Amino acid sequence: MSQGKKRGMGILSDDKQAERGQLIELLTKAYWKEIETVMSYTANSINPDGVRAREVIDSLEQDIQEELGHSQLFGKRIKELYGTVPGSLDFKPEQSFLQPPDDNMDIVHVIKGVIEAENGGIEHYNKIIEFADEHGDPVTADMVTTILADEEGHKRLFEGFLREYERDS
Ligand SMILES: [Fe+2]
Ligand SMILES: [Fe+2]
């Protein structure tokens, strides 16, 4: 019965349905994080006033494209694991810290919000990598590792901005 013999298919094995379900849940949360980040970074790249905001705006504009790319990668992986990318009605916002500040000159508020958003991503993506490694899904682990590297870069860049603002204030 070579046809029916159990084959080692990693996360796509028949007996890994429960783990696939858990991964799809983790990936869906990641997908929404990226989508919300696109929304928040878009607003915060348009609203700020002042010459000094320019660098932050330029960085956010670039990040928006990267975060959108991340959301597409998470969506594709959800599908590959036999899940469905959710529709917009399932969206629940979480980024209270990235709402527009009362004062459009308040760039420090934006910088701190970005760092918090990146920290949230970094925390969640480390969790996904750990789960994927543990349950035989090197493809998800590899993909999310690459995305994690981007988020660590974003975090570091904005920490640099914050240092400069705090030194000058
Ligand atoms: Fe991202
Ligand atoms: Fe990011």
Side-chain angles (χ1 to χ4, degrees):
M1 52 171 279
S2 62
Q3 290 288 358
K5 208 178 106 195
K6 233 185 204 171
R7 295 158 70 190
M9 303 274 280
I11 194 64
L12 296 185
S13 303
D14 288 342
D15 60 352
K16 291 250 176 161
Q17 202 180 340
E19 288 87 344
R20 279 199 300 277
Q22 282 171 280
L23 262 171
I24 288 166
E25 225 170 274
L26 289 165
L27 291 168
T28 301
K29 188 174 170 183
Y31 172 80
W32 285 132
K33 273 184 185 296
E34 297 291 348
I35 296 279
E36 187 171 16
T37 299
V38 169
M39 284 195 269
S40 296
Y41 287 8
T42 298
N44 285 294
S45 70
I46 295 170
N47 288 330
D49 285 322
V51 180
R52 297 193 61 197
R54 197 63 247 172
E55 209 134 352
V56 170
I57 287 173
D58 286 345
S59 292
L60 285 176
E61 283 174 348
Q62 203 182 314
D63 286 356
I64 290 163
Q65 304 307 321
E66 284 190 35
E67 312 296 11
L68 184 61
H70 294 164
S71 75
Q72 289 171 310
L73 287 171
F74 281 119
K76 283 175 187 160
R77 191 61 189 150
I78 289 168
K79 180 170 170 140
E80 283 164 3
L81 294 174
Y82 304 108
T84 302
V85 182
S88 57
L89 290 182
D90 284 347
F91 176 68
K92 287 182 192 70
E94 289 179 349
Q95 293 178 349
S96 54
F97 44 86
L98 265 174
Q99 303 310 298
D102 296 333
D103 177 3
N104 281 338
M105 296 274 283
D106 187 359
I107 295 302
V108 169
H109 169 91
V110 175
I111 295 170
K112 284 182 174 168
V114 169
I115 292 169
E116 184 149 358
E118 298 296 341
N119 281 341
I122 288 167
E123 204 176 321
H124 187 58
Y125 302 165
N126 272 299
K127 195 168 146 188
I128 298 179
I129 293 163
E130 209 173 296
F131 187 92
D133 274 338
E134 220 169 279
H135 296 282
D137 185 357
V139 175
T140 294
D142 184 61
M143 183 193 87
V144 181
T145 300
T146 304
I147 295 172
L148 176 64
D150 288 343
E151 313 302 13
E152 288 183 352
H154 297 159
K155 171 186 159 82
R156 184 64 188 89
L157 182 68
F158 277 77
E159 280 177 346
F161 289 148
L162 187 61
R163 276 191 64 199
E164 186 177 312
Y165 273 90
E166 285 179 338
R167 189 196 59 194
D168 295 351
S169 64

